[in-house]
Amino acid sequence: MLIISSLLGSQTTLAGQKALVVGIKDYNYWSRLQNSRNDAEDMAQTLQNLGFETTLITRNDQGEVNNERFNQALQQFSQNLRPDDRVIFFYSGHGAAIPTDSGSTEGYLIASNTPAPSRGNKVAIQQNAISLKQIAETISNKIDPDVGSILFMIDACRNEVINRGADVVEESTPSQPLSKQIEVIYATSNGSTSLDKLPTDNQSRNGVFTRVAIEELNRHKNRQGYSSDAFFPAVKTKALQLAKAAGKNQVPAWMNDTGRESFVFVPCPTDQACNVIIDNSTTINHNSSADKQFWDEIKNSTDANDYRAYLKQFPNGSFVALAESRRDKYSQSTKQSSVLESLRLPDNSKKDMSVDDMQKERENNPNGTSIYDSLQLKPKKSTAVLDSLRLPEKLTYSGCERIVFDLDKGTLNGLKATASQQEVKNALPCATGDTPDGESYNYGGGVFFLNHNFFMYTGNNFIEVRRDFKGSVTPNLLQQSQELVVARYGQPAFTRRGDYFYTMAYGCLQFTFNNGFVDEIDVHYQQCKAASEVR
């Protein structure tokens, strides 16, 4: 039997309003997130306050949300749906887009046990992640589109980091609509990052999108007829402003090709009519005007040019915010990714040119050669775009063939946690990714080794080794019992959230347990009190 980590209840709910909320923070093979569990918990409470019967799925006593638990929760939730229900599915965590044989991509939500992207592991990821298409079909099959409605809110990154040696586009969810029956709001636009935390606000419990979304829903919780038409423009504007104020960029995206009225968060009372609010100043029954007449003619259009025409004719019109959001939405659905476009070979392919000719052309016309050509002609050229696309000339595991994590010395292959990112990469060339030091996410920055399941968090000077670590630990306490830890190191200096903290000469040694066995070991080059507060 499925045990759901939390089913929010006790408060009277309006019939036909149900929400499934999932948040995953701790990943076995992907980088750990900071606020995704908070996002889910706070969104679940917000929707409960709006009258939704809300099912919350987060980490419980058995561990994080793996693919089995995710699928069980989805099936149980869908079994209780009725044809006329209004349904919200909210997710906060990692996402991925996987290419299909037809050349399109399908979106997946990453469960805690999903393998990290690497060469040739497309099938393994598909088997362990949760298909957005599957979620959409499971829920929409239970809902009659003539009387019910469905809204997905996905708080996951969409920055397409293209790995030409793997089968996966990391950290991305697809741009195409999931279903004609489902309205989707993404936390960020295609090609962008969903900010889990802002460097200017370390006290906030939530990522940018969820924080603003919750504020808007709470602000309008008593406003009958409040719909996504009013909700999204406000969320988009405020999320963009919040991110820009911190020197970042995040622009939420909205897709509604249902051909029906937008999702209503606050329904009218039973047997009472009320206006559906389509932006924060107007309703669908607003008095007629040239502005309104023009809007009525284009409001169901999926052509971005129609909304550009409206904005040009009515720059101060009643529907400006909504027109801007739809212009951006439908522009994105047809716009080619600039990075992908740069990979395309021109019609007059250079396949008949010699390497010398291509090199001369590159030198004479550096802006006229595609990134694809640049990768072959200038392998030592270094730019952010090229580095993200280029495969190493040959795969090497020099320096990574034997990895030893020494708990008493606080080192990994002799490296201290105070080593710089460049020192780490030079010593261990098997790194799979990094986040610059000083960033507000991934514990302030670090170098990641997802294929070996360890992390060098250089921003906060600590080393993290997880359960499936591919090296050796001395003393060998990984996946051992709490009793063995105590037998080796004695009683901890203190405990926090079930973790044991031991004072060491280099700083602090931390053990995280799962069902009484060591699931993770961290070495901190700071005192244990400070180490226990690292987020």
Side-chain angles (χ1 to χ4, degrees), residues 8-306:
L8 298 175
S10 74
Q11 191 170 349
T12 302
T13 60
L14 294 174
Q17 296 190 125
K18 297 182 175 74
L20 176 61
V21 178
V22 181
I24 304 177
K25 174 182 177 181
D26 300 318
Y27 286 86
N28 296 344
Y29 309 109
W30 295 60
S31 62
R32 175 178 295 171
L33 300 172
Q34 296 187 60
N35 284 329
S36 51
R37 191 180 304 154
N38 294 339
D39 288 346
E41 292 172 351
D42 295 350
M43 179 60 76
Q45 186 60 62
T46 298
L47 295 176
Q48 172 69 19
N49 294 340
L50 284 172
F52 284 80
E53 180 184 331
T54 303
T55 302
L56 172 63
I57 309 298
T58 58
R59 186 184 183 101
N60 63 10
D61 293 339
Q62 302 302 313
E64 258 297 2
V65 184
N66 59 22
N67 62 324
E68 181 180 3
R69 187 163 163 243
F70 201 139
N71 280 314
Q72 287 177 341
L74 175 63
Q75 294 301 323
Q76 180 166 317
F77 176 77
S78 65
Q79 288 171 6
N80 296 321
L81 296 177
R82 300 182 309 187
D84 62 345
D85 280 341
R86 285 186 301 278
V87 180
I88 290 178
F89 171 70
F90 174 89
Y91 171 81
S92 181
H94 282 301
I98 299 180
T100 64
D101 293 338
S102 63
S104 61
T105 59
E106 288 189 1
Y108 287 79
L109 304 183
I110 304 302
S112 65
N113 61 327
T114 304
S118 63
R119 187 183 298 274
N121 70 342
K122 172 181 175 179
V123 174
I125 292 179
Q126 288 174 316
Q127 291 174 342
N128 290 280
I130 313 300
S131 165
L132 267 173
K133 182 179 180 181
Q134 172 198 338
I135 299 172
E137 291 176 349
T138 301
I139 294 177
S140 61
N141 285 342
K142 297 288 186 176
I143 303 299
D144 182 344
D146 290 330
V147 291
S149 55
I150 306 169
L151 172 67
F152 280 21
M153 290 192 282
I154 309 297
D155 195 345
C157 292
R158 306 180 72 203
N159 51 314
E160 296 185 0
V161 182
I162 302 169
N163 185 344
R164 298 173 65 204
D167 296 313
V168 180
V169 180
E170 299 182 58
E171 294 287 359
S172 178
T173 43
S175 300
Q176 67 270 25
L178 294 176
S179 162
K180 287 290 185 182
Q181 195 174 334
I182 296 178
E183 184 177 338
V184 187
I185 296 177
Y186 291 108
T188 190
S189 300
N190 198 27
S192 301
T193 299
S194 178
L195 298 170
D196 190 41
K197 199 174 188 69
L198 288 173
T200 54
D201 189 2
N202 291 325
Q203 302 304 313
S204 177
R205 282 175 49 85
N206 305 116
V208 169
F209 169 78
T210 300
R211 172 179 170 179
V212 173
I214 288 173
E215 289 175 354
E216 287 302 302
L217 291 174
N218 285 333
R219 181 176 291 112
H220 298 283
K221 63 183 179 181
N222 297 318
R223 194 176 183 188
Q224 293 176 3
Y226 183 66
S227 77
S228 56
D229 271 311
F231 169 78
F232 176 75
V235 169
K236 176 184 176 182
T237 299
K238 293 180 180 180
L240 176 61
Q241 292 173 343
L242 189 61
K244 280 189 172 181
K248 302 292 183 179
N249 187 51
Q250 180 171 340
V251 184
W254 182 30
M255 293 182 182
N256 182 10
D257 292 332
T258 61
R260 300 180 54 79
E261 184 180 275
S262 295
F263 191 89
V264 177
F265 293 101
V266 186
C268 302
T270 305
D271 300 326
Q272 292 185 30
C274 71
N275 293 328
V276 175
I277 301 167
I278 62 175
D279 74 9
N280 288 317
S281 61
T282 59
T283 70
I284 59 172
N285 293 323
H286 195 273
N287 292 334
S288 298
S289 64
D291 175 359
K292 181 63 167 59
Q293 183 177 356
F294 192 112
W295 179 256
D296 285 342
E297 292 176 358
I298 69 167
K299 64 182 181 182
N300 294 320
S301 173
T302 58
D303 187 343
N305 290 323
D306 289 340

Side-chain angles (χ1 to χ4, degrees), residues 216-461:
E216 287 302 302
L217 291 174
N218 285 333
R219 181 176 291 112
H220 298 283
K221 63 183 179 181
N222 297 318
R223 194 176 183 188
Q224 293 176 3
Y226 183 66
S227 77
S228 56
D229 271 311
F231 169 78
F232 176 75
V235 169
K236 176 184 176 182
T237 299
K238 293 180 180 180
L240 176 61
Q241 292 173 343
L242 189 61
K244 280 189 172 181
K248 302 292 183 179
N249 187 51
Q250 180 171 340
V251 184
W254 182 30
M255 293 182 182
N256 182 10
D257 292 332
T258 61
R260 300 180 54 79
E261 184 180 275
S262 295
F263 191 89
V264 177
F265 293 101
V266 186
C268 302
T270 305
D271 300 326
Q272 292 185 30
C274 71
N275 293 328
V276 175
I277 301 167
I278 62 175
D279 74 9
N280 288 317
S281 61
T282 59
T283 70
I284 59 172
N285 293 323
H286 195 273
N287 292 334
S288 298
S289 64
D291 175 359
K292 181 63 167 59
Q293 183 177 356
F294 192 112
W295 179 256
D296 285 342
E297 292 176 358
I298 69 167
K299 64 182 181 182
N300 294 320
S301 173
T302 58
D303 187 343
N305 290 323
D306 289 340
Y307 299 104
R308 291 190 183 97
Y310 171 86
L311 292 168
K312 182 176 181 179
Q313 187 165 343
F314 301 100
N316 299 312
S318 301
F319 304 91
V320 166
L322 189 54
E324 288 177 342
S325 68
R326 292 189 178 182
R327 174 201 61 195
D328 295 343
K329 176 177 68 172
Y330 295 123
S331 294
Q332 289 165 4
S333 65
T334 58
K335 183 172 61 178
Q336 292 284 346
S337 164
S338 60
V339 174
L340 291 177
E341 190 63 27
S342 68
L343 289 169
R344 193 183 307 281
L345 287 173
D347 293 335
N348 57 334
S349 175
K350 299 178 177 63
K351 63 182 180 180
D352 296 326
M353 297 176 64
S354 68
V355 173
D356 289 340
D357 290 340
M358 294 175 75
Q359 287 176 330
K360 289 178 181 178
E361 179 177 324
R362 175 61 178 166
E363 292 166 0
N364 294 331
N365 185 17
N367 296 320
T369 306
S370 69
I371 290 176
Y372 177 86
D373 296 327
S374 300
L375 289 172
Q376 299 185 52
L377 298 175
K378 298 275 187 179
K380 295 183 180 179
K381 180 70 174 177
S382 179
T383 70
V385 174
L386 296 185
D387 289 344
S388 69
L389 295 172
R390 183 181 293 116
L391 287 175
E393 294 182 7
K394 63 177 181 178
L395 293 175
T396 174
Y397 288 95
S398 174
C400 299
E401 293 175 358
R402 185 172 183 271
I403 300 174
V404 179
F405 188 37
D406 191 317
L407 306 187
D408 293 334
K409 295 180 180 178
T411 60
L412 190 145
N413 274 23
L415 284 171
K416 296 181 178 180
T418 52
S420 69
Q421 289 202 9
Q422 193 57 54
E423 288 172 334
V424 171
K425 292 176 183 177
N426 290 342
L428 300 168
C430 51
T432 57
D434 62 76
T435 299
D437 288 346
E439 289 287 358
S440 59
Y441 52 96
N442 285 338
Y443 297 101
V447 184
F448 315 126
F449 300 82
L450 298 177
N451 294 334
H452 293 75
N453 289 305
F454 71 93
F455 304 79
M456 301 284 290
Y457 288 110
T458 52
N460 263 301
N461 295 336

